[in-house]
Amino acid sequence: MDSRSEILKRLRAAAPPPAPLPDPRSETVPYADPLAQLEAALQAVAAVPVRVAGVAALPEAVAAVVAQLGATRIASAVPGAAPGTVRPEELADPHELEGLDLAILPGEFGVAENGAIWVNAAALPHRGVFVVTQHLALVLPAREVVTDMHAAYARIAALPRSYGLFIAGPSKTADIEQALVIGAHGARSCTVFLVG
Amino acid sequence: MKVALFIPCYVDQLYPHVGMATVRVLEKLGVEIVYPEEQTCCGQPMANAGFADDAAPLARKFLEVFGRFEHVVCPSGSCTSMVRNHYDPYLAGAPGFEALKQGTFELCEFITDVLKVARIPGRYPLKVGLHQSCHGLRELRLGSASELLVPRYSKVASLLSSLEGIELVPLARPDECCGFGGTFAVAEEAVSCMMGRDRIADHVKAGAEVVTGTDVSCLMHMDGLARRAGERVRFRHVAEILAEAMA
Amino acid sequence: MIGHAERAARFAADDARAHWHDQALWWVRAKRDKAASAVPDWERLRGLASAIKAHTQSRLADYLEEFERNATAAGARVHWARDAEEHNAIVHRILADRGATRLVKSKSMLTEECHLNPYLEARGIEVVDTDLGERIVQLAHEPPSHIVLPAIHRKKEEIGELFHHKLGTAAGLSDPKVLTEAARGHLRERFMRAQAGLTGVNFAVAETGHVVVCTNEGNADMGTSLPPIHIACMGVEKLVPRLADLAVFLRLLARSATGQPTTTYTTHFLGPLRGGELHIVVVDNGRSRLLADETFRRALHCIRCGACMNTCPVFRRSGGYSYAYTIPGPIGSVLAPSVDPRAHASLPFASSLCGSCDDVCPVRIPLHDQLLARRRDAARAGLLSSGKRLGMRLAGMVLRSGFLYLLASRLGKLLGRALPRRILYGRWNVWGRQRELPPLPRESFRDLYRQHRSERRG
């Protein structure tokens, strides 16, 4: 018997009696001000939330961050956010992303309970751009905030099934004596522009 | 009300005054006591060491001795839990076993839950550290374990704090294990003793003059360590404190 | 035979270090308490997680088939491995067939369990663990001492020394920021030249075919978005039925593990990188045997958060290596005997049975009951030392008969009084090495109670 059949056979033979699958409904009381809660949650995961009045004000807000970081090699997947100096779609090999100072990516929605932003990275020309870049900026319409992870998966289930991820702040580690260090492998900072 | 007194073997032999304190507390609260002399060990030491075959006859003997009583009261959370939570493999289905399980109580929970006494009249003007023995805390749920996100309560602390003049000191780790653990105390001597010393240090740092708890076994372990180290803090079973305060 | 007690005693002998270790992990436990308390329905979530796992177990084969269909439709290739050897051979074949000799790995306890690294290294593959903690222990030629905090047993000065020798950093460094930056540079170079990336799997979703990987560092994402080959290795128990179930587990996982509200990167892989390959290796390696065991199957609920280790007063003071098994701590002591009951016979006894692990476990594994059950199994199989067996038998016999019990304790008391201290506290007395013996009162409770009765009657 091949391994697949044998494993499945063993698991069927070992299976415990049927048990019901519960419905994981949310019991989180919706936040009075979801956006304010998201901002607090973002700060808790070491991200930097920046409120932007509207799409028109975005370039200026981005420019301030670019200046502050001294970023010169910038890739933007958000139309109108910033004049990208690197166009990932023209790179044949993801390794060429190395040396990127800042990547600006669209977020789909934010989760108020934990500061995670859902990113549909499958739409990007090179999906690793969010982690290879030295700094990351996510752009999120301020109205796109869900209460908790239950609501988040309801949103994801409605999207086309694809590769995607939650990003909650910059890359971090506490593997040396539990001391929190920002910038382990991926982005050293994570700015989240909340637009509108 | 009439109750049968279940005195664990080590209390009988090593801490008889804890048994007597239990008697005095219950009598003061108007309870009539029966002490069946034919009782022996409940079997916990054997069961916890893995020797189910040796524990089984003791469990059967326990049912034989105590099965005829409506209420059984014991000054030990651990031994009470043995009956309530760990006798199933030996006695499941035996006549009278379910009633025995439901009728066996640790002293403090008997006072709060069965006698429905919330306040103990008496005075105990000392700083007291409460050691929440693990089996009482997490198997009998005499209090809310610090890991659980449930409303905070402690049946033992509520009885103690009803005493006049008592001050329950706040601990850095409110319910860490003392490291006794039955045979663990000997089989894993190094870690057991380190755990015990750490518990004592927490109580001492909090200013406790007396450390109390529902289980003499934990207190015996910490007392042994404290006396060796020359610590001044004293160890008293909760029954002793209640009896002294009510006297 | 050397068991946990002897290894633990060695760790505890360095009192300052053992306390340093205890404090570090207690701090993580405290962070967990704080994070959990921010979730109002925490206890309900634990119940849900446990129920979802129990349901999934009852239909695991069906869910695996559903997962395979969906993952395959999205472009992944699913492989099946009965045991560690087959798992290692599959991974090696994938690499060898493509001429890949440089592999970057993110954390996977499964590959530790299968001893994949030495297997691949013996076959000419360079394996680089990329989680910072895992890289530290890899450079030190050690296994991880904790499943979430692999280098928790190492002091920063020791890591500075290690990096000085292995990575050529300046001597005397100990600032975690500086050391992490050095590792970042060193590992980024490894990422850039890697030909394949391997990850573990936190969750696999039957209804979509996603495999979900959680990291804080982003190493799993680096290792799977630069090289074209991604190999994801998972035990059969990682399945959840639906996307919606992830909400329950993700709300529990990071809070239980490190006290964070969520991990930084929670990546839902579906299909390969453009032009690349995704291989998913589904491994049994004893899990179906555990599933068949009614007493212990709930141990398969484990989501590897490490909370039982952080809360365990024994683990904190004995260190991960004292367990001498891939997964240490309470859950490891339950799992290890199913792999080799004789070699790991001492582990179920490495616990005071305080039960804190049960209450902290996000999927409600009844750990201390299972430890007790493992003790029974060890005793039944005759795996306990003859001394322990004899002592307990004797105690059982004496205690069963009231008369013998009274006689023996009276005799013991007589001896206790008569013996001089140096004999009473001789080498035989393990209790008395660090502790005073309890007092030996003249009368038993029985005696006192009889007097009390007669006084009351009189």
Side-chain angles (χ1 to χ4, degrees), chain A residues 162-187:
Chain A
S162 78
Y163 162 89
L165 79 160
F166 288 109
I167 298 178
S171 162
K172 51 184 91 72
T173 185
D175 273 348
I176 301 176
E177 285 203 10
Q178 288 300 293
L180 178 67
V181 179
I182 305 292
H185 293 293

Side-chain angles (χ1 to χ4, degrees), chain B residues 140-154:
Chain B
L140 298 181
R141 300 293 178 196
L142 298 183
S144 51
S146 59
E147 303 87 15
L148 293 179
L149 278 299
V150 296
R152 296 281 153 232
Y153 72 96
S154 164

Side-chain angles (χ1 to χ4, degrees), chain A residues 3-4 6 153 171 175 186, chain C residues 68 82 86 133 184 217 268:
Chain A
S3 300
R4 179 183 184 279
E6 192 181 326
Y153 278 104
S171 162
D175 273 348
Chain C
E68 182 187 39
R82 269 174 280 229
E86 191 172 10
R184 179 185 169 107
E217 299 181 3
H268 301 53

Side-chain angles (χ1 to χ4, degrees), chain C residues 5 60 72 77 84 88 93 106 262 266 288 305 346 357 361 427:
Chain C
L60 192 50
T72 308
R77 167 103 200 270
N88 293 347
R93 200 175 327 113
S106 75
T262 178
T266 307
S288 56
C305 71
S346 71
C357 45
C361 177
R427 285 182 62 85

